[in-house]
Amino acid sequence: MKKLLSLVLVAVISISVFCIPAFAYTGHINEGETPEFHTATSNNAFGDLLNWSGVVLGNVENIIDVEGTLAVGGSFNSNRGFSANAGAYGQNNASTEDVALLINGNANISGYGNVYGQTVVGNADGNTYHLSNVTPSATTNGQYTVADSSAYFAAAGNTANAAKAAIEALPVNGECEAAYGTYTFKGNPDADTLVYNVDDSTISSYLFDFTIAEGQTIIVNLTTSDKITLKYGANKINGSMDPNYLRSFNRNIIFNVVNSPEVEMISTELYGILLAPNTKLTGSNANVCGTSIVNSLVGLNGFELHVGYNDSFVPEIIPSTPEDPTVAPAEDPTEAPAEDPTEAPAEDPTEPPAQDPTDPASETCSIRIDVPLKMAVAFADGSVYYGGEMKEVVYGQEYPFQMCSVNWDNGIYDENGNGLRGTVVYRMIVVHEKEFNERALAAMQDPDRYTVKGIDIIDNEAKLIIVNGDAKDTHLETDVNNFFMAYRFHFASEDYNKKTGIPNVINTPIESLSVNLPLGSTIACNAYIGDEKVDSDNVFITHNAGKGIYYNVELTSVNDYTWAH
C-alpha cells in the first residue's frame, strides 16, 4: 500500500485524497449556509485545499475550462464561456448536486459551457450567470445558491501559507542539472522526499526530466523574487512523456513559488501541485494538471486547470538532513556488491552520448529542415525554419524544437503575435551512419514506440528524433504525422456562411477550414456564423481514423472537428 503524504518538520503530516471527478465540497450547500473549511491537522497539512483543481484566493478572469472543481475567493468574470467538473478530457462528467464552483464574490459568466454540479456565490446581487449547454445535462447550469464563504477562504489562505512555510523549511537534498533547456532532477531514489531549488526567472523551450520512485514526493522550490515565465515546455517522468502517464503523478510533485509576484505560463504545462498563495498566475495555451493554489488567476488564451489520474495515491514527505546528491548512500553489507563503475550501463537505443559542443574537434554537418505546409519549426536557439533551409549542427548534440503554425496573413511565426507554437518539445540529434544503424536495429524491436525510416528514428514516447547525418539528402523530416495533424472544421447543419478562426493563425475566419496544427497541443478555436462569433473551444490536436501510407508505415493523416451549430 502506498504511503501517506506528509509535510512536517518533526512529525508526519498527510494531505487528503483527490478523486476524479472531483467534488470540492462534500454535499450540497443550502441557501444561507456557511461552508466549512477543514484546516490542517496533525496528519493533514493542506486541509481541504487539494480537494479542488484550483483554489484562487482572489479574482479569476477568463478561465474557460476546469476539468475538476474551482474555488474562488473573489469574483469570477468571463464572457467567453466556462466549463467545470467534466473530468479528464471531458469524458468523466459528474452530474451531481455537490458543489463544483464556489465563488465568494460575484459571478459574471456567460457564453458556451457546462458546470457539472452546484454553483455557490457570495453576493445575491450583481451576478450574470448564463451558459449555453452543448447537450442537455443534469446540471445546475445558469442557477446558483447564495452563501457566505468568506470564512472558508480566510482559513484556506492561512492553511496554504502554513503549508508553504513548512515546505520551505525542508532542506535541499536533490540536484538539478540544467543543460540545453533540459532540467534533470537527480537524487537518492530511496529518499521519501527530494527537495530542489530552481533559481531561473525565465525558463523557455525546456524539458523538466524527473525520476520518481513509488511513494516519493518531489518538491521544486522556484526561488527567484522576479516574475517567473515558463514557456514552450514539456515534461518527462521516468523516461515517459505520455500525457496519461504524466497525469498519474499529479500528487507527487509540488512546485512551490517562494517569493515571485507572478507566474506566467505560455504554451506549457505543469503536472503536480502549484503552491503559490501570494502569486498571480497568468496563462496562455497552457495548463496545470493537479491543484493550483494561487492568489489570482488570469487566462489570456486557452488556459485550463486539469485533473490527474490515480489520485488515491497520496505521497509522503519526511524531512531529513541535507545530503550531498553526488555521494552514494552507505552500502548494506547484506546486499550484493555494487556494479563495477567502469562498466557502461544498459542504454536506451535512442539516447545519445554526452558531448561537449564547445569542443573545437566536434564534427559538424548541414541538414535540411523539411516542414509541413503553412507551418514552421522553432528551435530552442531562437532560429525558425519554414522548409528547405539548411541548419548547421554538431554530431551528437541535442537540438530541442517545437512545431508551429504560421500566421496565414503573412506566412510568419514569431513571438509577437504571428502564429502559434505547439507545447510538445522534440529533440533532434544527428549521428553517423554506423551508430544510426545500430540504434535503428534496436529500435525496430519495439515498433509501438519507434518509427524507423531510412534517414531517421522517431522515438514517439521520448519525442527524440535521431537523424542519419551520413545519408544522402539527409534532413529533419517533420512533414509527417508524428509532428502535426491536418484538421478540418465543419458545422453540424451545413458549412455555408459558417466559418472557423484561430487567433494569430486564421485571423480572418474561413468556411470549411483545413489547417495544419501541432500534434499534442491544445488550440483555441472560434466559430462564426457570418461575422458573428457564436462559439469557442480548446481543441486538443490528436490522431483520428483517417489513414495514409508513408514508406510502408501506416499513419493517421487527418482529423475532423464539427461545431454544434
Side-chain angles (χ1 to χ4, degrees), residues 368-412:
R368 190 178 72 250
I369 309 298
D370 284 1
V371 183
L373 182 67
K374 294 187 178 180
M375 296 194 76
V377 171
F379 283 88
D381 60 11
S383 58
V384 179
Y385 296 81
Y386 297 93
E389 308 99 320
M390 305 299 290
K391 183 176 181 63
E392 189 82 4
V393 298
V394 176
Y395 279 95
Q397 179 178 332
E398 286 189 5
Y399 292 87
F401 69 90
Q402 288 157 285
M403 300 300 297
C404 309
S405 294
V406 302
N407 182 343
W408 280 29
D409 294 334
N410 55 24
I412 293 174

Side-chain angles (χ1 to χ4, degrees), residues 125-194:
D125 300 320
N127 299 296
T128 300
Y129 187 36
H130 177 71
L131 294 171
S132 56
N133 292 338
V134 185
T135 56
S137 58
T139 73
T140 55
N141 178 33
Q143 305 172 17
Y144 54 84
T145 300
V146 178
D148 181 8
S149 57
S150 56
Y152 187 94
F153 285 97
N158 291 337
T159 301
N161 279 289
K164 182 173 181 291
I167 285 175
E168 291 168 9
L170 296 174
V172 173
N173 60 349
E175 179 184 24
C176 178
E177 295 180 355
Y180 308 115
T182 297
Y183 289 74
T184 304
F185 295 87
K186 297 182 176 180
N188 181 359
D190 295 325
D192 294 291
T193 306
L194 290 173

